[in-house]
Amino acid sequence: MDNYRFKYFFKKRIQILFVFLIILLLIPLLKIFYLQIIQFDRFTALSKNNSIKIIPIPPKRGVILDRNNIILADNKLVHSLEIDRASFSALPEIQLRLKNKLNIDIDTDIANKKISYLYENTVPISFNLSDKEIASFVAHQYLFPKLSIKQRFIRDYPQGKSSAHLIGFINRINDKDINSLEKENLTNRYLGSTHIGKSGTEKFYENLIHGSPGFKEIEVDAKQNVIRTLQEKKSIPGKAINLTIDYRLQKIAEKAFGEKKGALVAINPKNSEVLAYVSQPTFNPALFTNGISHEAWSNLNDKDSRAMLDRVVAGLYPPGSTLKPFVALAALKNNIRKPPFSIFDIGYFKMPRSSKVFRDWKRGGHGTVDMIKAIAVSCDTFFYGLGLELGIPKLNKVLDDFNFGKKTDIDIDGEKSGLIANKAWKKKKLNESWYAGETAITAIGQGFTLVTPLQLANATAKLANPSLSIKPHLLLSIDGIKQDKQEVKEKKQSYSDENLKWVKTGMVNVTKEGGTAAFLGRKSNYQMASKTGTAQLFGLKIDEEYNEDILPDKLKDHALFITYAPAINPEIVIAVIVENGGHGGSVAGPIAKKVLDAYLVNKKL
Amino acid sequence: MIKVLEKYKKRIDIPLLAITFFIIFMGLVTLSGSNLDTSNIIINQVINIFVGLIIFTILIFTNPRILFSYAPILFLITIFLLILVHFFGVESNGAKRWLAFGVFNLQPSELMKITLPLMIAWLYQQYQNKISLRLHFTAIFLICIPVYLVLLQPDLGTSIMIALSGFLIIFLAGISWRLIISSMIVAILSSPLIWINLHTYQKNRIINMLDPFVDPLGTGYHTIQSMIAIGSGGGFGKGWGEGSQTNLNFLPEANTDFIFAVYSEEFGFFGVLIIFALFLLLIFRIFILANNMQSTFSKLLTVSLGVSIFSAIFVNIAMISGLVPIVGLPLPFMSYGGTSMVVSLASIGIIMSLNNHKTLIAN
C-alpha cells in the first residue's frame, strides 16, 4: 500500500470510526437523558429517601395531680449515660470497663433501646446517674471517648410507693400494646414513643396524658449520622389531669394502715368524687418505667401480699355485717320488721322446721332487738330471720339498686363486678340447689356475696345521699378545666324517708354507747353513721368457737367498716377493709376515723 | 522568555489544549464542590496536573523519531513491569495492579495503554509496504500478551481498553472487513468460555448491570446510588456543591471513578451536554490532526491514543449511568488520581509532538 493510497484509505476509516464513536456516545447520553429528564421525579424521590428522614418527636407526658395540685406523676430531667450509635458494637467491652473503673452499671435490655432511639446519634445505656456517678465519669471521660452524658426526661413518681394503684405505672410498649393500638388506629400517635400507661390512671387516661408526637425532618448521610434539621413541628404535650383525690387523705389513710393489708375508699356523697383511693400493700411504680427485673416482679406477686392487686376495685371480699344496712332497707321496703317490731335474742337463731342453729356473734344474745338496735349492735339473730322471711329475690333487688354485683364503671382499669348470688347462679356454677340456711347467712353478709371496697363505698354514698345519680369517678379536671360528671343512667330507686331514717339511726347508734364501735363516737365532735363488719374467711363448724388468738394470720377474719359523716348532710363516705384484721369496729374503724377527722375537723391539715 | 513561549506556542495545538484544559477545569470544579475533606484532594490534584503538564511539555519537545525508535523497547519494558506486578505487585481488593516505588505507585497497565499502540503503530510503519495477513496476526499476538497479563491481575476493564486500542490500529491499518466480521463471530462464540473463567465479583457486576435493583444494598448498591445521583440532578442540576448523594456519602468513590455522577447531580442534563460536546470536540480535533499527519506511524498512534481516551470516557460514563458493570475505571482529565491524569496528558503531549514533526518520519 503506497502512502497516498494509505492516506485515502485512512481518512475513510477514521470517518467511519468517528461516526461510530458519535453513535456510541449517544447511548450513554440517551441513558442519562432518560435518568435525568424522564425519570427525574423517581430519582428525586429516591435521593430524598436516601438522605431525608422524617423522625417523630415523642410528646411530653401529661402530669397527674391531686385535687390540690400535689404532683402524683411527673417528668423528671435525669442525666443519662449515652453511647455513640456507631460504637454500639463495643458495648460489652465498655460495660465491663465502666463496671471495673467507675462501678457504674448499665441497663440491660439494650437491644430494644437501640431501636427506640433510632436517628438519635447517641443511645442511652444508663438512666438517672447520681451526682457521684456523674462526677466520676466526667473525671475519667478520656477513658471513654465513645460515651457522653445527656439530659432526658423520664417518668417520675414523687410520692414513691404511695398511691401506686391509683396512679399506676408506665412501661415499654410491647407487642400486645402495638396490637391494641393498631386496632384503635392510634399507632400514629405513638410514633417515637417508647412507653405507654399499663395500669391505674396512667392507663385509663392514657389518651389524655400521652399527647401527640411532633416531627423533625432531618438530613442523614450514608452512615445514618444526622447532618442537620430541615424542619421541625413541635409535639403536643399530653394534658395535665387533676384527680378528685385529696392526697392528704390518701397519705393519712396509708399511714393509718401501716403494715396492714386492705383498702380504703373515700367518696364525696354529693358528687361521687373519689377523695381517697388506697390499696395496701403497694409497690413502687418507678420500678416499671424501664423494665422490671424478674426478681422484683415475683416479689410483687407474692401470693400472700399480692402487692400488685388493686384491692379497691379488684379485691373481692365478703361484706360481712356492712351489708346489714342494705338488707335492712330491703326488708323495710317490703314492710318486714318495721319498728316497733322486735325480737328477743337469746344468742342464736334456730331454723324453722330444722334442728340447725345459727349463732349470734354475741354469746347470750342482745335481748330485745328492733331494727335500729339490730343495726347498732349488729344483731345476727335479727337478720337471720329477716332474711328468711324476705327471701333472696327481694333482697337482691335492693342490693342491685345499690349497685352491688356490678361494676360502678369508675374511670380506672381492672374493676371487678363482685357477686350477688341467687338460686340460678348456684345451680349453674356449683350445680347445687339453694338451701334456706344460705338465705339466712346471706342476710348477715356471709355466704356467696362478694363486694369490692369501691362498691361498698359507692353503696354507702347512695345511702347517705339517696338523690345521688353520679357514678364514682377520679377525674376532676383536664388542664385545669372541670369535667362534667357522668350521671348514672339507671332508673332512680326511691326509698321512703321513714325507712331511711330507721336505717340511718341504726348506723348513727353504731358509734354511740352500746353500738359496735362506740369507742369511736366517744372522741368525736361530729356525728357519724357507720356499720362495722367482720367477714369470716372459713366456715366454722356448728358450735365451733372462733378464737382469734390461735388462728394463723391469713385465716383471720377481714375487718370492715363503712361510714359517712356528718350524719346530717354528709360530706364524706368511707369504706375500709383490713384483710385478716379481725373485728371490724376496732381495726378498720380507727383508720376510717382518722380520715374523717382529717377531712371534717382539721380541714387545713 | 518570550522566545521560549513563542517556541512553546508553535509546538502546541491551541484548540486541542484549550479543550483539554476546559475539561480538566470542569473536573477541578466538581472536585472542589464536594465538602468531603476536599482541601487535600484539590492540592493533590493540582500537583497531579502539574506533573502531567511537565511530562506533556517534555513530550512536545521530544522528537517523535525517538519515540518511534524506542517503541519496541518501551513495549518490552512495560511487558516486563507487568510481569513484575504479577510477582511483586501490591494487592488490594483481591487484585494485584500496582508496583510500589516508595513515594509513588506505578500501574503498568496504564502505561501499556500508550506503549501498546506505540508498538503496533511502529509495526505497521516498519512494514508499511508489506501489510499482509501475517503482519495482522503478528500484531494480534503482540496485543494478546499484555491483555493476558492484565487479565491475570485481574483487571478486566483495563485489559479490554488495551485490547481495543491495539485492535483499533489493526482496523485503521487496513485489515479487511471480512476478517473483522469473522473475528467478531469468534469473539461472540467464545463468550461463554470467558464467563466461566470470570471471578465471582466480576460475574456479580455483570448480573447487576442487568438489574441493579435485585440487590440494592449488596452488589447493586454502587450502581443504584450512582443512578440516583444522576437522575436526581434533573435538567439543570442541584447546583455546585449541593449534591446530596455526594456530600452525604451515598455515592461511593465520588472523587475518583464516580466523579461524572457528581457532575451530573450538580449540573444536570445541561451540564452533561456541555461535557459530551467537549469530549466529542476533543476526539474530533485529534482525528483532524491525525488526518493531516504524514506518516503511517503518526496517524495510527494519534488515532489510537485518541480512541484510548475516548474508550475510557465511554466506559466510565456507561458504567456510572448503569449501562455496563462497574469495572473501576477513572474518567480521563476529571477523576481524582495521578496515573490517569499523567497518562491522559502524556497522550495529548505525544499527539502534539507527532503533529509538530509531521514530516520528520514521513517516508
Side-chain angles (χ1 to χ4, degrees):
Chain A
M1 213 192 290
D2 63 51
N3 207 24
Y4 178 75
R5 252 189 76 201
F6 177 74
K7 274 181 187 164
Y8 173 74
F9 172 85
F10 181 81
K11 190 172 181 180
K12 266 187 89 175
R13 285 254 159 142
I14 57 169
Q15 278 169 351
I16 294 167
L17 187 63
F18 191 66
V19 172
F20 175 71
L21 295 186
I22 291 175
I23 294 167
L24 208 59
L25 208 56
L26 270 176
I27 299 167
L29 188 69
L30 282 174
K31 177 75 191 271
I32 291 172
F33 179 80
Y34 173 75
L35 295 177
Q36 292 196 305
I37 307 298
I38 294 167
Q39 293 263 60
F40 172 67
D41 291 339
R42 179 184 166 218
F43 283 107
T44 301
L46 282 173
S47 160
K48 287 199 170 138
N49 242 356
N50 254 347
S51 60
I52 294 171
K53 307 283 173 195
I54 293 176
I55 56 159
I57 308 167
K60 204 163 144 186
R61 204 172 169 81
V63 296
I64 303 173
L65 308 158
D66 91 330
R67 64 186 307 126
N68 299 315
N69 292 327
I70 292 172
I71 296 167
L72 304 178
D74 195 6
N75 305 299
K76 184 171 67 170
L77 197 61
V78 295
H79 292 276
S80 59
L81 192 60
E82 316 236 334
I83 184 167
D84 291 352
R85 171 172 295 281
S87 312
F88 206 83
S89 54
L91 191 64
E93 183 261 337
I94 289 172
Q95 176 173 16
L96 206 70
R97 277 199 295 139
L98 267 178
K99 182 76 188 151
N100 291 342
K101 297 251 180 200
L102 308 179
N103 201 25
I104 295 176
D105 287 312
I106 70 173
D107 295 349
T108 47
D109 191 22
I110 288 287
N112 279 340
K113 285 182 188 167
K114 196 183 171 191
I115 297 161
S116 308
Y117 297 95
L118 193 62
Y119 297 121
E120 292 191 42
N121 285 343
T122 61
V123 179
I125 57 171
S126 179
F127 280 108
N128 223 349
L129 294 177
S130 67
D131 289 348
K132 211 179 135 194
E133 283 172 330
I134 293 169
S136 85
F137 177 78
V138 169
H140 296 88
Q141 186 148 28
Y142 65 95
L143 290 173
F144 303 94
K146 306 280 181 348
L147 301 184
S148 56
I149 288 182
K150 262 197 180 179
Q151 291 185 321
R152 285 186 188 271
F153 280 107
I154 62 163
R155 197 66 163 165
D156 182 44
Y157 300 100
Q159 312 304 343
K161 286 175 83 168
S162 167
S163 313
H165 296 94
L166 166 72
I167 303 165
F169 59 85
I170 63 170
N171 202 342
R172 289 180 184 287
I173 297 173
N174 60 28
D175 292 347
K176 226 173 111 192
D177 300 323
I178 292 169
N179 281 340
S180 62
L181 288 174
E182 273 167 2
K183 250 179 232 155
E184 293 169 67
N185 227 348
L186 284 174
T187 41
N188 279 348
R189 287 188 57 193
Y190 284 81
L191 292 171
S193 293
T194 53
H195 289 77
I196 191 167
K198 294 275 181 166
S199 83
T201 308
E202 291 269 35
K203 180 175 184 187
F204 195 90
Y205 286 113
E206 173 69 25
N207 284 346
L208 282 179
I209 54 187
H210 180 266
S212 301
F215 292 92
K216 199 156 76 168
E217 210 179 281
I218 54 163
E219 193 176 55
V220 297
D221 69 7
K223 286 178 182 150
Q224 304 297 303
N225 293 314
V226 178
I227 304 300
R228 60 189 165 137
T229 303
L230 300 173
Q231 54 172 309
E232 192 171 345
K233 180 181 162 256
K234 288 224 157 59
S235 58
I236 301 164
K239 301 206 182 322
I241 57 172
N242 282 91
L243 299 183
T244 56
I245 296 294
D246 184 339
Y247 184 69
R248 291 178 313 129
L249 299 186
Q250 194 80 359
K251 197 82 194 147
I252 286 160
E254 281 172 359
K255 203 177 152 203
F257 261 96
E259 294 296 301
K260 297 186 196 79
K261 289 180 286 182
L264 176 146
V265 189
I267 292 179
N268 180 339
K270 294 191 165 100
N271 54 18
S272 277
E273 286 175 0
V274 177
L275 299 168
Y277 186 109
V278 173
S279 174
Q280 294 281 103
T282 178
F283 58 92
N284 184 359
L287 280 179
F288 291 86
T289 309
N290 279 307
I292 186 167
S293 73
H294 188 76
E295 194 191 342
W297 175 248
S298 48
N299 277 344
L300 286 177
N301 283 290
D302 174 72
K303 247 203 330 216
D304 287 336
S305 60
R306 300 192 66 192
M308 294 304 295
L309 177 68
D310 182 353
R311 287 164 161 84
V312 173
V313 291
L316 294 174
Y317 303 91
S321 302
T322 54
L323 196 68
K324 281 176 184 161
F326 308 100
V327 178
L329 209 55
L332 295 171
K333 194 186 170 179
N334 290 289
N335 293 315
I336 293 165
R337 302 291 192 267
K338 272 198 173 184
F341 176 93
S342 65
I343 61 159
F344 190 82
D345 175 23
I346 51 168
Y348 60 87
F349 175 78
K350 188 177 163 299
M351 289 287 286
R353 297 178 302 279
S354 157
S355 59
K356 198 164 185 179
V357 158
F358 289 105
R359 290 183 170 278
D360 193 279
W361 66 270
K362 187 176 177 186
R363 183 156 290 209
H366 302 279
T368 306
V369 178
D370 67 354
M371 178 63 88
I372 295 168
K373 187 178 174 190
I375 292 172
V377 302
S378 201
C379 176
D380 293 336
T381 313
F382 187 87
F383 278 93
Y384 292 135
L386 178 156
L388 278 180
E389 194 175 335
L390 181 64
I392 287 294
K394 285 176 181 165
L395 171 61
N396 283 2
K397 175 80 181 59
V398 172
L399 293 181
D400 185 70
D401 282 352
F402 282 93
N403 216 74
F404 287 110
K406 54 191 179 189
K407 292 176 180 176
T408 65
D409 286 331
I410 188 175
D411 44 355
I412 203 158
D413 250 44
E415 187 181 12
K416 295 220 165 127
S417 39
L419 176 64
I420 298 300
N422 58 24
K423 222 173 172 172
W425 172 85
K426 195 184 174 194
K427 189 77 197 163
K428 195 177 156 212
K429 198 83 181 169
L430 305 172
N431 197 24
E432 283 174 20
S433 39
W434 189 271
Y435 301 112
E438 284 163 350
T439 305
I441 60 169
T442 300
I444 65 157
Q446 296 292 150
F448 301 108
T449 312
L450 289 172
V451 301
T452 66
L454 179 69
Q455 282 174 336
L456 263 186
N458 181 46
T460 311
K462 285 185 164 203
L463 191 66
N465 177 15
S467 64
L468 185 65
S469 65
I470 302 167
K471 64 181 185 183
H473 57 276
L474 288 162
L475 183 68
L476 182 68
S477 61
I478 301 170
D479 274 348
I481 299 157
K482 291 253 184 212
Q483 295 304 296
D484 290 336
K485 318 293 179 200
Q486 269 183 288
E487 306 267 319
V488 176
K489 288 193 183 91
E490 82 231 29
K491 212 166 54 189
K492 282 298 299 154
Q493 206 69 34
S494 56
Y495 296 90
S496 75
D497 289 346
E498 193 191 26
N499 290 346
L500 282 168
K501 206 184 91 193
W502 283 322
V503 172
K504 287 179 175 181
T505 308
M507 289 176 73
V508 167
N509 289 348
V510 167
T511 50
K512 288 195 169 156
E513 290 311 317
T516 49
F519 71 99
L520 288 177
R522 276 172 214 137
K523 285 179 275 179
S524 184
N525 46 8
Y526 50 86
Q527 207 168 50
M528 52 199 278
S530 318
K531 184 68 196 81
T532 57
T534 306
Q536 284 179 9
L537 280 187
F538 75 118
L540 292 170
K541 291 191 189 103
I542 293 169
D543 287 337
E544 191 177 37
E545 274 189 58
Y546 174 82
N547 185 340
E548 205 172 271
D549 300 329
I550 58 164
L551 272 173
D553 260 1
K554 64 178 183 180
L555 291 179
K556 280 183 185 167
D557 294 345
H558 289 333
L560 294 97
F561 193 75
I562 59 172
T563 183
Y564 65 86
I568 311 292
N569 195 16
E571 289 172 31
I572 183 170
V573 170
I574 292 172
V576 182
I577 287 176
V578 179
E579 286 181 17
N580 318 116
H583 181 242
S586 52
V587 181
I591 297 175
K593 184 70 168 59
K594 279 179 188 161
V595 176
L596 285 182
D597 285 348
Y599 192 71
L600 297 171
V601 186
N602 314 319
K603 277 195 171 164
K604 288 193 178 124
L605 198 87
Chain B
M1 186 68 193
I2 294 162
K3 260 187 181 173
V4 174
L5 277 178
E6 283 286 311
K7 216 174 167 187
Y8 200 95
K9 207 178 134 190
K10 262 189 212 161
R11 287 176 179 275
I12 57 168
D13 180 63
I14 304 281
L16 184 56
L17 196 68
I19 296 164
T20 308
F21 277 5
F22 202 79
I23 297 171
I24 290 175
F25 174 72
M26 297 294 257
L28 277 178
V29 167
T30 311
L31 276 181
S32 57
S34 97
N35 58 16
L36 311 161
D37 54 358
T38 45
S39 50
N40 271 340
I41 281 174
I42 296 298
I43 292 166
N44 286 345
Q45 183 73 340
V46 169
I47 293 170
N48 291 335
I49 293 166
F50 190 68
V51 173
L53 285 177
I54 291 172
I55 307 239
F56 167 83
T57 310
I58 293 169
L59 283 169
I60 61 171
F61 284 101
T62 308
N63 190 325
R65 193 177 281 277
I66 297 167
L67 266 181
F68 177 74
S69 47
Y70 282 100
I73 292 166
L74 287 173
F75 178 68
L76 284 175
I77 290 172
T78 320
I79 293 284
F80 178 68
L81 289 173
L82 277 177
I83 292 167
L84 279 185
V85 164
H86 192 63
F87 291 105
F88 306 106
V90 181
E91 190 164 336
S92 97
N93 293 332
K96 276 186 189 170
R97 291 178 188 173
W98 293 276
L99 282 174
F101 282 102
V103 283
F104 73 102
N105 287 343
L106 183 75
Q107 196 176 342
S109 55
E110 284 292 321
L111 230 53
M112 191 49 95
K113 282 181 184 171
I114 292 178
T115 51
L116 181 72
L118 206 58
M119 181 66 206
I120 306 299
W122 178 88
L123 191 72
Y124 280 103
Q125 172 75 49
Q126 204 73 321
Y127 301 97
Q128 194 182 15
N129 298 319
K130 288 173 255 173
I131 291 175
S132 63
L133 204 60
R134 200 173 143 194
L135 187 67
H136 291 322
F137 276 111
T138 310
I140 290 171
F141 174 72
L142 287 175
I143 292 166
C144 284
I145 298 167
V147 166
Y148 176 72
L149 286 171
V150 175
L151 261 179
L152 274 183
Q153 291 181 351
D155 188 348
L156 183 65
T158 311
S159 66
I160 289 171
M161 290 293 114
I162 292 168
L164 274 178
S165 68
F167 284 119
L168 183 84
I169 296 179
I170 302 177
F171 166 73
L172 293 172
I175 197 165
S176 69
W177 285 106
R178 210 176 52 210
L179 222 80
I180 295 171
I181 289 162
S182 51
S183 61
M184 274 176 148
I185 290 168
V186 171
I188 290 165
L189 288 180
S190 64
S191 57
L193 217 83
I194 294 168
W195 177 257
I196 290 165
N197 285 310
L198 285 179
H199 281 243
T200 319
Y201 82 96
Q202 288 167 330
K203 282 183 185 171
N204 281 340
R205 280 172 178 178
I206 292 167
I207 290 167
N208 3 305
M209 177 193 65
L210 301 173
D211 186 5
F213 288 90
V214 161
D215 186 9
L217 290 176
T219 50
Y221 181 81
H222 288 33
T223 311
I224 289 173
Q225 294 303 338
S226 167
M227 282 164 69
I228 291 172
I230 297 171
S232 62
F236 293 94
K238 293 177 183 170
W240 178 65
E242 296 294 323
S244 60
Q245 286 290 103
T246 312
N247 289 330
L248 301 175
N249 253 326
F250 290 101
L251 196 63
E253 304 290 334
N255 291 329
T256 56
D257 293 0
F258 285 81
I259 186 99
F260 193 75
V262 179
Y263 178 84
S264 309
E265 185 184 20
E266 297 186 349
F267 300 106
F269 191 65
F270 183 72
V272 170
L273 282 176
I274 290 173
I275 282 283
F276 269 65
L278 285 170
F279 286 149
L280 219 53
L281 272 176
L282 184 85
I283 299 307
F284 186 68
R285 187 64 201 166
I286 290 171
F287 278 21
I288 294 280
L289 294 179
N291 191 47
N292 293 339
M293 287 173 190
Q294 297 302 312
S295 70
T296 306
F297 175 73
S298 303
K299 279 173 182 286
L300 290 178
L301 187 56
T302 301
V303 174
S304 173
L305 292 173
V307 171
S308 276
I309 293 171
F310 178 87
S311 309
I313 292 168
F314 172 78
V315 173
N316 180 277
I317 294 177
M319 171 181 95
I320 63 116
S321 58
L323 283 170
V324 302
I326 291 177
V327 285
L329 192 81
L331 182 64
F333 302 117
M334 285 183 79
S335 282
Y336 171 73
T339 309
S340 163
M341 181 61 76
V342 170
V343 168
S344 303
L345 279 173
S347 301
I348 300 291
I350 291 169
I351 289 168
M352 288 190 189
S353 158
L354 292 167
N355 190 42
N356 287 332
H357 304 83
K358 285 189 186 85
T359 55
L360 278 183
I361 41 174
N363 298 5

